[in-house]
Structure formats: C-alpha cells, structure tokens
Amino acid sequence: MSESEKKPLLGTSDEEEDKLTGCGKTLCCNPFRFLHRYLILIIMCFLSFGSYFCYDNPAALQDTMIKDLKISESTFMGFYSWYSWPNVILCFFGGFLIDKTFGVRLGAIIFSLFVTAGQVVFALGALINNVWLMDVGRFIFGIGGESLAVAQNTYAVKWFQGRELNMVFGLQLSFSRVGSTVNMNIMQPIYKFVSNSGHKGYECLGIVLFIGGIICILSLICALALGYFDKRADRILHRKQLTSEETIRITDVKDFPATMWLLCIICVMYYVAVFPFIGLGLLFFEMKWDFDPSLANNVNSLVYIISAVASPVFGFLIDKTGRNVFWVILGTTVTIGCHALLAFTFVNPYVAMITMGFSYSVLASALWPIAAQIVPNNQLGTAYGIMQAIQNLGLAVVAIIAGAIVDSKGYLVLEVFFLVCLCVALIAAVLLYLLDASRGGKLNMSAKLRQIMKEEADREKEKEEKKPL
Amino acid sequence: MAVTVKFVSKVCSVVLLFIVLLETIVALRMIQTELNPGCDDRKEDCAGGVAYIKAIGEQNTFHYILTAIGPPTFLVILTEKTTKDAGITINWDNFKSGNITEMEKSIKLDPSYTVLYSYGVVFTRLFQYNDTEDKAELGKLNLKNTAFRVFDFSRSMFEWYDLKPISSDSSIKLRVKNSSAIMGQTINNGSLEFKFSFFDHMDRAKDLPHLQYTEDTSQFDFTLKNIDTGNMSLSRFALESVLFSTDSAGGDMKFDETKSIDDEYTPGVFKISNWLARPEKEDQGGFLQHKPVCYTKPKRGRAYGTYVRGYGLTKVTDVQYLLDQSAVLAYFGSVNMANLRISSTNFSFGLTEDGTFTKTNYTVWTGSIGYGKPPMDVVSSLVVVVISVGLGIPVVLILFGGLFVCLKKKTDPLLVDVSKNAVSVN
C-alpha cells in the first residue's frame, strides 16, 4: 500500500505539511487535504470525457454521415468495428505498458495523444472523403481510448484506494455516460450550424468532427495536468517509487490469483447480458409491447440514463458499507430478475429496465474496485487491461452471437441466452465469495472492519519502520 | 442429491422423447390430387382451373376444392370416411359461364359421401393506397387526400393462369395473368399469387413464420411482387377476405388475437391470430390462423418482417356480387349460400416507418386454414431445460456453499484471525 494511506483523512499536520508554502498550503492545493483530491477527481473524470464523447460521434451523425460519404450501413458499422476489435487485445498491452514502461502519468498522456490524433485523422478522412483514412483514424482512436480508460482506473486507485474508491468508479462511469449523451445531443446542432455557414457534404462533416476533436484536446490537457499534480503529490506525500525488482513481466499474468480470473468472468458475463441486449432492445419493445419507435427508444436508453445518475450514489453507499462481493451478487441476481421479467412476462418493460439501470449501477460501482484488493498496485494497470480486454472480446463476440440468435430463434431464446450468461456470472460471483471466505473474507469485508484492519496494519508497519532507527 | 438425480433423469427423458418424435413423422392422411377434373386442357379452355384434393384419414376425409375461376376460392368439405374412389363432378361450361342460374350446383360432391361440415375462404378484393402520411392503418387514412385503388377479383376484372401447369400435387398456385386497368394501373404476369400447400402429417413450416400445420390444415402464401406502382410512390396494400361455414347464419364468427411470450418459431413476433368460424364449438369448426407478420423479401428474415394488421369482422354486404360469381355459389347454390355463416375482414400489410411496399416491391404473407382447435405455440423443452439448469446451478451452489461457510465458521474460530494475517501481509 502506498505511504499516503498511512495518513488519517484530515491529516494532523506534521513536518511535511509545514514545508508547503503559499498556495500549496491552501485547502485546494494541499495533497493532504480532501478538497485537493476532489479537484483532482474532476480532472480525472474529464480525462476520458473526450474519448467517450468522440467514440459515439458516428452514431450521433449516422444519417448525415451515410448520406455525405455515400456509404452503406455496413461500412458505417465498420467505424465501430475498427475501434472495438483491435481493443480485444490492445488494451491489455496498454495496461501492461502502464505498469512496466510508461507509468500511469506518461501512459495517460500518450494514450490521450493517440485519442486526439485518431480523432484528427478521422476528421481529416471525412474532410477529403476518404473512408479508408477514416477507418485508420478510428483504429488509432481505439488504441488510445480503451487504454486511457485503463489509465483512468489506475489513477483512481492510486488516489482513492481505501477512501472513496467505489464512489469514484461510479462517478467515472456516470461521466462516460454524460460524455456520450452530450455528444448525442450537440453534434447535430453543430452540424446544422456549420452547414448553414456554407460548407456542405463531407467537407461540413469533416469540420464538425474537427470541432469534436477540441474535446479530445481538453482531455489531453487534463492528462498533462494530472501528470503534474500526481508527480507533485508523489513528492510531497513521499509515495513509494517502483524499484527495479518490483517491475513486472508479462508472464506475471499467469500468477494472478484465481479470484482475479473469477472477477474477469463476472465482468464479461455480466456486461454481455446488458449492452448487446440494449443494442437489440428497440425492436423487442416495439414488437412485444407494441411501443411506437420513440417510446421504445426511451425505454431502451433508461439503463444509460439511470446509471449516469445512480452509480456515484451507489458507489458512495458501497464505500460506507463495504462488502463488495455481496453487492456484486445482489446486482447480478436483480439483473437476472429483470431479464426474466422481460422474457417471461408482459409486465411493462419500464419496470424491468429501470431496475436493470439500478442493478447495473450497483454492479459497476462494486465490481471494478475489487481488482485493487486482489492485485498489488504495481500490476494494477495490467489487471485492468485484462479485464477491459476480456470485456471487449465478450462484447464483440456476443454482439454477433446475439444477432444470430435473434434472427434464427427469436427474442425469448435470446433472453434465455442472456439469462445463462448472467447465471454464469452469478456462479462466478458465488465462487468468488466462497473462495474469498475460505481465505478470510478480505474482499467482502465490511467497511468498518476494513478500517480497523488498516489501522492495525499501519500501526504494525510503523513499529517495524521505527525499529531500525 | 436426490433432486439432482431426479432432474437429470427428467432431462434425459425429455431428450429421448424428442429423438423419438423426430424420427416418427407418420403420415396420418393420404393425399390424392386431381387438377382440372373433367376438363381436358389440350382440347378445351379450363380458364383458371380447379384443383380437387382428397385427404383421406382413418376417421374422416377432407375434400379441398381450390379454384381461380371467379374470385380465388378455397372450399373445404369434411365427410365421413368412404372407401370409394368417388370425388367431385364439375359442369365446366356452367361453372365458367359466371351466370348465377347456370352456375347453381355446377360443382357436385358424389352423393355417397355423408357431409359433416363445410367451410372455406374467398379472397374478394385488393386495396392499394398511397400512404403519403405513413399511417399504415386503414382506419386512420385521410380518405379525401389519399389516392385509393380497388381491385376486385371479379370475373370481368381479373384473368388467371390455368393452375394445372404451374402446380404440383401438394402445392397449388393461383396466379394472376392480367387485370383491367384501375386508374391506369394493372396487375399482371404473376405479380399476385396464392399458393396453397397440403399436408399428411403434423409439423412446422420450413419457411418463416414457421406456422405449425397438422394433417387437418393447409397453408397459403399470398405474394405481391414486381408491381408497377406508378404514381403511387408510397404504395401499401390490403387484402379483403371472406370466411364462410355451414354453421347457422345467426351466430357470429370471432377474430382472436392471442399474445405469447414465445417467439422462438417466429423471431420478433409475439402474437398469433385465429379467425374462428365456430367459436361456440371451436374444436369442430374451421379457422384461419396467421401471425401478424409478412416479409418484404423472398428470402424471409426477421429484418425484412413487417406488420400485418387485421380489422374487425363485418357481415358481407358489398361483396355479395363477388360471392355470387364464386365456387361457393357453384357448390352450395344460392339458397344454401344464404344460410351460411359469413363474415369478412381486411388484412393490411406494413407498419409505419417500414418504407412501404414500394421500397422492396415484394410482400409475402402466410396463413393456415384448418379444422378443429387451432394449433398454439408452446415453449420448447430446450428452453425449459436450459433455464432450469442455468438457474438451478447457482441456487444449489449458494445453498451448499453458504452452508459450508457457516459450518466452517462455527467449527473453526481461528478463521477470523487468519483473515487479519492475510490483510496485514498485503
């Protein structure tokens, strides 16, 4: 554990703090103080805002894009495959590189650069009406985007472990939703504005995408700022530097404990039962409940909207209670109930989708911080990289499988398929609980107990450190 | 443990039953087909032609008469089983004349048969409208501003191909050759077709919507394709259909739409509609069953499916003149026809935002016409097994695992200390 965590939350001032002068001593600039952490949190949230914003640029401009570039639906979908398929592998290496070579600071900056460069190439491709160049742009964008998410997770653990980590993960999730929602709502108006100013067709599209790129530059600035503040905090808080024998090799992955792999299984099996479902949900609501398209669209987006609002709140609650594994089991079980409701009843889908929004928020806030309990901090980038990579693989594969199932066997069987995925996730979660319980229940500890243990551990550590003196 | 064993044995028995069912497709009726009985194509003009199919079973026999002379008509006569070879006789000249008095009883079933029940369908009119406001619903159209064409399948309006050269023993096709122009537009060259299929066993259709059929039902495909819609660039179509039966004319037919959670046979469709000729005694009456879906490409798929809307049943008044030209009159005669139970409805094809018929210039709709209680979809055993296994394992795991942890915590008080050590090591 890093040294900073030895300090109580509102640290009693000792000599390090006295060294700070001027602005550095004030509440908002002092790394010992909570306000400073929260300001950092805001920067941290905006770190990946740009990538989430630009990820869905194509969706927000779908109709105009297809018309301006004269491309088919499948060529259009290619903009997403060029993003997602390489990341089935690449973000694992991204995470590993953060641990091994770059460190989180340089990593975040490099990946932000990739995101920005990718968006610029994408926009350039649109400007000269070259779909091939646009695909390249999405590919570069993807290399940056997913690994940046890994860097963001690693930052979160570094600054908030043992404090408000669940809430921070919840807030980051909520920000990613805000990013894509903002994108969905302002890209069309921007397009109209640019097209009114005399630019038409793909030229207009290119300019609009360049404007989207400005948000990426904002995120790049956040990465630079975070790098500066993190370095400063390392210095002031005397955070441990990695020594050479502590750096990891790629083969260390095979020594990850079984609980880490169970966590990966839960992650992939849960997410595939939520997102590919939302992708196919629109017609399901139209056909089964006779909803008109706009109403069906409302129901379908409920999970996103609710998770944007609810996940920080649930994260906060989980911080207060601890017992992350129970929350994961609860989230999975409730989601099973939601899918069962959708599959086997005609109960208004608002009920199931609202509940699913909440259970997804609970799960997402509780799941990701568990990894920080399992894997030592110097391997955390790799761990999050693996989780993200497996999740990407699952989502990409299941999107295809789900489409094939619904075409040949219909929505009932599709729902059954999702229920089976969720059951696997539930089994993995229960195994995670049992495995952990048989080793002392570290992962599912209540917040209170965790606090007591930490204090005890700190005291022992202090004793040991004082001895040689 | 006992529960698991019991469950496994149950699964095995379901699987076994499934295999047994797969291997025993037993013919339950014998199908005999005669095309244009009593009319020699080489010497005389058989017009649209008549198909006569006998489905002979252990208990009874269905006689199907299908013709494109007059409005397309499908007539089913249920009789007691007879060993004789006898069938129907047609006075072709009278039937072809179209004159009411000459047509009377021009189709006769051999009197040795004891008739138990008769029913059938007449397709009377095709409506075309330019759906500029994308309503896709007949009742919502603004009739003042909507261009509307009515094609009635009368003898003077439509000319049909002879069914004999284009049909086979188990699939009969009624195909339009030409029609008179309505507001400058004709339907010709097989742009409109009814295809009927007959079965001697029980199964599910190979094509979507995979309707179930039995030895007592037949299925039809109604296809519209390659129609020059001319100035109606947002064309949609609706088909008017008449169902009749030998039930008392005083009673009413019933149009039932049942919702189901199960769309495994017809992806994306959660409804099935039954038009019952004899709702008071469903299991001894005729029905027309369909799922509210039609497909806009010949290669049927969920992505090309759009909605088929049924409307309320009405008593037939304004198409009586079409029934008077049909095989119904030719078989029953006008006196008996007046005593039939008859009702009609429209089926309109398409749904808001599907791009209208013009988008693909193709629509095919499938239904089945049968006798007895209409088949209903049931959730397949595969789904049931997968669900019970999928949900069963975690429940068992939680129960036994929880028990194990509780026991271990009770018998091993050191566990808590171990946990403390585990944390401090990290």
Side-chain angles (χ1 to χ4, degrees):
Chain A
M1 274 178 200
S2 66
E3 206 129 314
S4 65
E5 274 153 33
K6 286 175 15 183
K7 310 291 168 204
L9 234 106
L10 294 167
T12 48
S13 65
D14 36 25
E15 62 263 44
E16 285 100 332
E17 206 168 345
D18 292 337
K19 278 182 225 157
L20 295 171
T21 51
C23 168
K25 211 177 174 181
T26 60
L27 203 55
C28 49
C29 301
N30 186 341
F32 286 102
R33 299 308 187 105
F34 70 95
L35 189 60
H36 180 67
R37 273 206 317 279
Y38 287 164
L39 290 175
I40 293 295
L41 177 57
I42 294 172
I43 303 178
M44 215 178 268
C45 286
F46 275 102
L47 177 63
S48 61
F49 186 82
S51 87
Y52 284 117
F53 180 90
C54 291
Y55 170 75
D56 265 335
N57 272 179
L61 296 167
Q62 181 166 5
D63 292 342
T64 37
M65 208 169 239
I66 286 175
K67 212 167 61 215
D68 288 348
L69 300 168
K70 296 186 181 69
I71 53 174
S72 67
E73 196 89 17
S74 62
T75 313
F76 172 81
M77 286 319 287
F79 292 145
Y80 282 95
S81 347
W82 275 101
Y83 178 95
S84 61
W85 277 105
N87 276 302
V88 164
I89 298 176
L90 283 177
C91 66
F92 162 63
F93 288 105
F96 176 71
L97 285 174
I98 288 175
D99 285 341
K100 167 93 177 169
T101 325
F102 301 151
V104 65
R105 290 192 286 266
L106 190 58
I109 293 168
I110 290 174
F111 295 130
S112 293
L113 277 171
F114 268 102
V115 166
T116 313
Q119 179 70 11
V120 167
V121 173
F122 186 58
L124 199 68
L127 198 64
I128 60 170
N129 195 12
N130 186 333
V131 174
W132 179 81
L133 194 63
M134 291 177 81
D135 283 338
V136 172
R138 287 296 280 185
F139 175 71
I140 299 171
F141 182 75
I143 294 175
E146 290 296 296
S147 301
L148 189 61
V150 174
Q152 193 190 23
N153 288 347
T154 315
Y155 258 134
V157 174
K158 196 172 176 191
W159 280 77
F160 293 93
Q161 191 169 33
R163 294 197 180 92
E164 306 93 346
L165 189 57
N166 295 288
M167 192 267 283
V168 168
F169 271 96
L171 198 66
Q172 286 182 353
L173 174 72
S174 131
F175 243 74
S176 69
R177 294 288 150 248
V178 172
S180 49
T181 310
V182 170
N183 157 66
M184 285 295 183
N185 289 308
I186 72 164
M187 285 318 271
Q188 282 293 350
I190 291 179
Y191 183 91
K192 277 206 189 93
F193 178 77
V194 174
S195 118
N196 283 342
S197 69
H199 299 276
K200 291 279 174 262
Y202 53 81
E203 207 179 282
C204 174
L205 190 69
I207 294 168
V208 172
L209 290 175
F210 270 119
I211 294 172
I214 293 173
I215 310 277
C216 292
I217 292 174
L218 178 79
S219 287
L220 181 61
I221 293 169
C222 287
L224 291 168
L226 261 187
Y228 167 73
F229 284 115
D230 191 61
K231 193 161 188 170
R232 179 169 168 271
D234 271 3
R235 179 167 48 82
I236 297 170
L237 301 173
H238 303 295
R239 279 180 182 153
K240 208 161 41 174
Q241 296 293 317
L242 288 186
T243 54
S244 57
E245 60 265 35
E246 259 182 303
T247 56
I248 70 154
R249 288 179 304 275
I250 207 139
T251 48
D252 287 355
V253 168
K254 71 179 190 319
D255 298 326
F256 274 173
T259 43
M260 180 65 211
W261 298 115
L262 285 174
L263 203 62
C264 288
I265 293 174
I266 301 168
C267 176
V268 66
M269 285 301 172
Y270 184 87
Y271 277 82
V272 298
V274 173
F275 291 103
F277 169 70
I278 292 173
L280 292 163
L282 207 61
L283 273 169
F284 182 52
F285 300 127
E286 286 179 24
M287 298 307 292
K288 188 164 174 179
W289 284 276
D290 296 328
F291 281 11
D292 67 55
S294 66
L295 192 63
N297 194 31
N298 286 349
V299 183
N300 207 28
S301 52
L302 275 175
V303 172
Y304 289 129
I305 295 167
I306 289 174
S307 68
V309 181
S311 35
V313 179
F314 279 118
F316 179 76
L317 281 178
I318 297 167
D319 282 322
K320 291 289 162 217
T321 58
R323 302 204 177 278
N324 284 39
V325 183
F326 272 165
W327 285 106
V328 168
I329 291 175
L330 181 74
T332 316
T333 314
V334 172
T335 310
I336 287 178
C338 295
H339 270 297
L341 214 56
L342 291 168
F344 306 123
T345 71
F346 281 97
V347 174
N348 195 313
Y350 271 99
V351 178
M353 294 305 277
I354 288 173
T355 317
M356 196 188 288
F358 285 115
S359 57
Y360 166 68
S361 311
V362 168
L363 182 120
S365 312
L367 184 76
W368 294 87
I370 293 179
Q373 302 276 342
I374 298 177
V375 175
N377 281 7
N378 64 330
Q379 297 181 357
L380 211 54
T382 316
Y384 280 131
I386 286 177
M387 268 173 93
Q388 200 106 4
I390 293 179
Q391 189 193 340
N392 285 338
L393 177 68
L395 290 176
V397 171
V398 168
I400 295 171
I401 295 177
I405 289 178
V406 78
D407 279 341
S408 61
K409 285 277 158 201
Y411 284 98
L412 180 72
V413 176
L414 179 73
E415 282 290 7
V416 168
F417 170 75
F418 288 143
L419 281 169
V420 169
C421 291
L422 285 170
C423 286
V424 174
L426 184 60
I427 292 170
V430 171
L431 281 177
L432 178 68
Y433 169 74
L434 293 176
L435 205 61
D436 175 54
S438 72
R439 292 175 187 174
K442 186 175 67 145
L443 304 181
N444 199 37
M445 208 176 279
S446 72
K448 216 171 163 187
L449 193 59
R450 185 164 288 156
Q451 190 63 33
I452 295 169
M453 297 222 159
K454 209 182 85 181
E455 280 165 16
E456 247 174 54
D458 287 349
R459 240 176 277 138
E460 267 175 39
K461 231 180 192 175
E462 255 169 66
K463 264 188 233 158
E464 275 171 31
E465 276 170 18
K466 276 177 186 164
K467 263 181 209 163
L469 297 170
Chain B
M1 203 57 194
V3 178
T4 328
V5 170
K6 207 172 165 189
F7 183 75
V8 168
S9 69
K10 202 172 175 186
V11 172
C12 288
S13 65
V14 168
V15 172
L16 268 177
L17 187 72
F18 189 66
I19 293 169
V20 171
L21 280 178
L22 259 184
E23 291 188 350
T24 50
I25 291 176
V26 190
L28 297 167
R29 288 189 183 275
M30 192 173 73
I31 307 273
Q32 287 177 0
T33 307
E34 265 184 276
L35 301 177
N36 296 342
C39 176
D40 191 343
D41 306 67
R42 285 160 300 182
K43 293 179 192 148
E44 48 194 323
D45 174 25
C46 306
V50 177
Y52 171 60
I53 296 105
K54 252 195 301 192
I56 305 162
E58 291 286 322
Q59 313 292 329
N60 50 30
T61 298
F62 284 106
H63 305 258
Y64 300 114
I65 297 167
L66 193 54
T67 181
I69 298 175
T73 302
F74 180 61
L75 168 64
V76 186
I77 305 156
L78 175 65
T79 66
E80 284 179 357
K81 183 183 158 56
T82 323
T83 44
K84 268 185 264 165
D85 244 357
I88 57 166
T89 45
I90 301 170
N91 184 330
W92 282 88
D93 288 334
N94 286 352
F95 183 37
K96 282 194 298 183
S97 73
N99 177 304
I100 294 187
T101 40
E102 281 178 36
M103 271 174 65
E104 291 249 353
K105 309 268 172 111
S106 57
I107 300 176
K108 282 189 188 125
L109 185 68
D110 192 277
S112 62
Y113 285 106
T114 313
V115 176
L116 301 170
Y117 184 71
S118 304
Y119 67 98
V121 178
V122 184
F123 297 105
T124 43
R125 290 188 291 187
L126 180 76
F127 305 112
Q128 180 187 6
Y129 61 97
N130 200 19
D131 197 7
T132 45
E133 289 169 32
D134 202 17
K135 297 281 189 201
E137 194 171 338
L138 294 178
K140 286 190 182 168
L141 295 178
N142 183 346
L143 291 176
K144 270 184 199 160
N145 303 336
T146 307
F148 222 92
R149 281 194 184 98
V150 180
F151 294 94
D152 67 7
F153 298 130
S154 62
R155 293 185 181 224
S156 55
M157 187 101 137
F158 272 81
E159 195 186 342
W160 301 77
Y161 287 106
D162 182 3
L163 58 83
K164 190 171 181 180
I166 51 176
S167 300
S168 69
D169 279 358
S170 59
S171 121
I172 311 293
K173 290 173 181 165
L174 312 182
R175 188 180 285 171
V176 165
K177 193 176 190 178
N178 209 344
S179 77
S180 342
I182 302 278
M183 294 160 65
Q185 184 192 319
T186 63
I187 291 178
N188 50 34
N189 285 333
S191 292
L192 185 155
E193 184 185 281
F194 294 94
K195 184 184 120 186
F196 281 79
S197 308
F198 301 90
F199 311 98
D200 59 5
H201 63 280
M202 195 173 110
D203 203 351
R204 216 167 255 289
K206 266 200 232 74
D207 287 328
L208 280 172
H210 300 300
L211 281 181
Q212 195 182 336
Y213 56 76
T214 69
E215 71 282 4
D216 294 349
T217 56
S218 46
Q219 293 193 342
F220 67 88
D221 286 334
F222 169 67
T223 313
L224 288 172
K225 62 182 176 193
N226 300 328
I227 294 175
D228 176 14
T229 52
N231 56 352
M232 286 197 188
S233 57
L234 296 166
S235 278
R236 291 189 192 278
F237 287 93
L239 180 69
E240 183 185 59
S241 316
V242 173
L243 188 66
F244 61 87
S245 73
T246 49
D247 293 296
S248 72
D252 286 320
M253 294 192 180
K254 197 172 157 196
F255 195 88
D256 249 355
E257 195 171 67
T258 315
K259 280 193 142 195
S260 152
I261 57 158
D262 189 12
D263 69 331
E264 62 185 302
Y265 305 108
T266 320
V269 180
F270 296 89
K271 285 183 210 150
I272 191 160
S273 296
N274 293 310
W275 183 359
L276 304 168
R278 195 185 217 176
E280 67 271 24
K281 211 169 186 183
E282 216 178 297
D283 53 340
Q284 288 175 27
F287 65 84
L288 189 156
Q289 181 181 65
H290 81 116
K291 289 193 174 181
V293 64
C294 59
Y295 297 93
T296 56
K297 293 245 171 112
K299 190 177 170 2
R300 304 176 186 192
R302 186 185 64 92
Y304 309 124
T306 185
Y307 194 64
V308 175
R309 198 181 299 274
Y311 298 81
L313 299 181
T314 53
K315 298 271 179 191
V316 178
T317 46
D318 44 354
V319 289
Q320 188 61 45
Y321 73 101
L322 290 169
L323 295 184
D324 287 342
Q325 302 181 2
S326 74
V328 183
L329 180 107
Y331 174 73
F332 289 102
S334 49
V335 176
N336 288 339
M337 193 167 89
N339 291 325
L340 294 175
R341 181 181 293 181
I342 301 182
S343 73
S344 85
T345 193
N346 296 317
F347 297 102
S348 70
F349 309 108
L351 186 65
T352 307
E353 291 185 10
D354 67 357
T356 75
F357 172 83
T358 319
K359 186 179 174 189
T360 56
N361 213 329
Y362 187 94
T363 289
V364 60
W365 170 55
T366 299
S368 55
I369 297 171
Y371 176 81
K373 212 173 158 40
M376 289 303 289
D377 291 344
V378 283
V379 176
S380 69
S381 43
L382 174 78
V383 173
V384 176
V385 168
V386 168
I387 297 223
S388 357
V389 173
L391 283 176
I393 291 176
V395 168
V396 169
L397 201 69
I398 288 171
L399 286 180
F400 283 87
L403 211 66
F404 173 75
V405 170
C406 284
L407 286 177
K408 206 173 173 192
K409 270 191 180 162
K410 267 196 180 152
T411 56
D412 188 5
L414 285 173
L415 205 64
V416 180
D417 292 334
V418 173
S419 76
K420 279 184 184 174
N421 293 340
V423 171
S424 49
V425 164
N426 273 311

